[in-house]
Coordinates of all heavy atoms in Angstrom, one line a residue:
E243 N 40.5 -0.2 3.0 CA 39.4 -1.2 2.6 C 39.9 -2.5 2.5 O 39.3 -3.5 2.8 CB 38.6 -0.6 1.5 CG 37.2 -1.1 1.6 CD 36.1 -0.5 0.7 OE1 36.5 0.5 0.1 OE2 34.9 -1.0 0.8
E244 N 41.2 -2.6 1.9 CA 41.6 -4.1 1.6 C 42.1 -4.7 2.8 O 42.3 -6.0 2.9 CB 42.7 -4.0 0.5 CG 44.1 -3.6 1.0 CD 44.3 -2.2 1.3 OE1 43.4 -1.4 1.2 OE2 45.5 -1.8 1.6
K245 N 42.3 -4.0 4.0 CA 42.7 -4.4 5.1 C 41.5 -4.8 6.1 O 41.8 -5.0 7.2 CB 43.7 -3.4 5.9 CG 44.8 -3.1 5.1 CD 45.8 -4.3 5.2 CE 47.1 -4.0 4.5 NZ 48.0 -5.2 4.2
V246 N 40.3 -4.7 5.7 CA 39.2 -5.0 6.4 C 38.3 -6.1 5.8 O 38.0 -6.1 4.6 CB 38.3 -3.6 6.5 CG1 37.0 -3.8 7.4 CG2 39.1 -2.4 7.1
R247 N 37.9 -7.0 6.6 CA 37.1 -8.0 6.2 C 35.7 -8.1 7.2 O 35.9 -8.2 8.4 CB 37.7 -9.4 6.3 CG 36.9 -10.6 6.0 CD 37.6 -11.9 6.1 NE 36.9 -12.9 5.4 CZ 37.2 -14.2 5.6 NH1 38.4 -14.6 6.2 NH2 36.6 -15.2 5.2
V248 N 34.7 -7.9 6.5 CA 33.5 -7.9 7.4 C 32.8 -9.2 7.2 O 32.3 -9.6 6.0 CB 32.4 -6.7 7.1 CG1 31.2 -6.8 7.9 CG2 33.1 -5.4 7.4
I249 N 32.5 -9.9 8.3 CA 31.7 -11.1 8.2 C 30.5 -11.1 8.9 O 30.4 -10.7 10.2 CB 32.5 -12.3 8.7 CG1 33.8 -12.6 8.0 CG2 31.7 -13.8 8.8 CD1 34.8 -13.5 8.5
S250 N 29.3 -11.3 8.3 CA 28.0 -11.2 8.9 C 27.4 -12.5 8.9 O 27.1 -13.1 8.0 CB 27.1 -10.2 8.0 OG 26.0 -10.1 8.7
P251 N 27.6 -13.3 10.1 CA 27.3 -14.6 10.1 C 25.6 -14.8 10.2 O 25.0 -13.9 9.6 CB 27.8 -15.2 11.3 CG 28.2 -14.0 12.2 CD 28.1 -12.7 11.3
D252 N 25.2 -15.8 10.7 CA 23.7 -15.9 10.9 C 23.2 -14.6 11.6 O 23.9 -14.3 12.6 CB 23.3 -17.1 11.6 CG 23.4 -18.4 10.6 OD1 23.5 -18.1 9.5 OD2 23.4 -19.6 11.1
I253 N 22.0 -14.2 11.3 CA 21.5 -13.0 11.9 C 20.2 -13.3 12.5 O 19.3 -13.8 11.8 CB 21.5 -11.8 11.0 CG1 23.0 -11.4 10.6 CG2 20.8 -10.6 11.7 CD1 23.1 -10.1 10.0
G254 N 19.8 -13.0 13.7 CA 18.5 -13.2 14.3 C 17.7 -12.2 14.0 O 17.2 -11.5 15.1
G255 N 17.4 -11.8 12.8 CA 16.4 -10.6 12.5 C 17.1 -9.3 12.5 O 18.0 -9.1 13.4
G256 N 16.9 -8.5 11.4 CA 17.4 -7.3 11.3 C 16.3 -6.1 11.1 O 16.3 -5.2 11.9
F257 N 15.4 -6.3 10.3 CA 14.3 -5.4 10.1 C 14.7 -4.0 9.9 O 13.8 -3.1 10.1 CB 13.3 -5.7 11.1 CG 13.0 -7.1 11.6 CD1 13.3 -7.6 12.8 CD2 12.3 -7.8 10.6 CE1 13.0 -8.9 13.0 CE2 12.0 -9.3 10.9 CZ 12.4 -9.7 12.1
G258 N 15.9 -3.7 9.4 CA 16.3 -2.3 9.2 C 17.2 -1.8 10.4 O 18.0 -1.0 10.2
G259 N 17.0 -2.4 11.6 CA 17.8 -2.0 12.8 C 19.2 -2.3 12.7 O 20.1 -1.9 13.5
K260 N 19.6 -3.3 11.8 CA 20.9 -3.6 11.7 C 21.7 -3.1 10.5 O 22.7 -3.6 9.9 CB 21.2 -5.1 11.9 CG 20.8 -5.7 13.2 CD 20.9 -7.2 13.4 CE 20.5 -7.6 14.8 NZ 20.0 -8.9 15.0
V261 N 21.0 -2.0 10.0 CA 21.8 -1.3 8.9 C 22.8 -0.2 9.4 O 23.8 -0.1 8.8 CB 20.7 -0.6 7.9 CG1 21.4 0.2 6.7 CG2 19.8 -1.6 7.3
P262 N 22.4 0.6 10.4 CA 23.2 1.6 10.9 C 24.6 1.2 11.5 O 24.7 0.0 11.9 CB 22.5 2.4 11.9 CG 21.1 2.0 11.8 CD 21.1 0.7 11.1
V263 N 25.6 2.1 11.5 CA 26.7 1.8 12.3 C 26.6 2.4 13.6 O 26.3 3.6 13.9 CB 27.9 2.4 11.7 CG1 29.2 2.2 12.4 CG2 28.2 2.1 10.2

Side-chain angles (χ1 to χ4, degrees):
E243 206 162 356
E244 82 285 9
K245 298 289 182 193
V246 179
R247 178 182 189 184
V248 175
I249 298 176
S250 184
D252 284 347
I253 295 189
F257 310 115
K260 287 175 181 161
V261 176
V263 180

